[in-house]
Amino acid sequence: MEALTIRFDAMACSVDLEDCDKVLRIECREVPEETISDFVQQLGYHCIPLE
């Protein structure tokens, strides 16, 4: 989470571990979803935007 907070100047980050999809939520300035998704994948995680 710290990497996301630093990289995107996020106000808040969380992962819903109760959800079967382990949903990542980020509150930050406007950043394209694919930019965040690409960064998370570079960290070694599977990440796709929700529809």
Side-chain angles (χ1 to χ4, degrees), residues 5-24:
T5 302
I6 292 168
R7 173 69 171 85
F8 299 109
D9 194 25
M11 295 174 276
C13 291
S14 65
V15 175
D16 185 350
L17 298 176
E18 300 287 322
D19 189 287
C20 66
D21 292 322
K22 310 297 186 243
V23 177
L24 169 65

Side-chain angles (χ1 to χ4, degrees), residues 16-44:
D16 185 350
L17 298 176
E18 300 287 322
D19 189 287
C20 66
D21 292 322
K22 310 297 186 243
V23 177
L24 169 65
R25 291 182 180 84
I26 302 174
E27 279 185 53
C28 63
R29 58 186 166 77
E30 196 168 320
V31 178
E33 289 177 347
E34 68 181 33
T35 301
I36 294 171
S37 178
D38 290 346
F39 182 73
V40 171
Q41 289 184 45
Q42 288 173 9
L43 295 174

Side-chain angles (χ1 to χ4, degrees), residues 33 37 40-41 45-51:
E33 289 177 347
S37 178
V40 171
Q41 289 184 45
Y45 298 95
H46 178 71
C47 182
I48 57 170
L50 292 176
E51 298 283 325

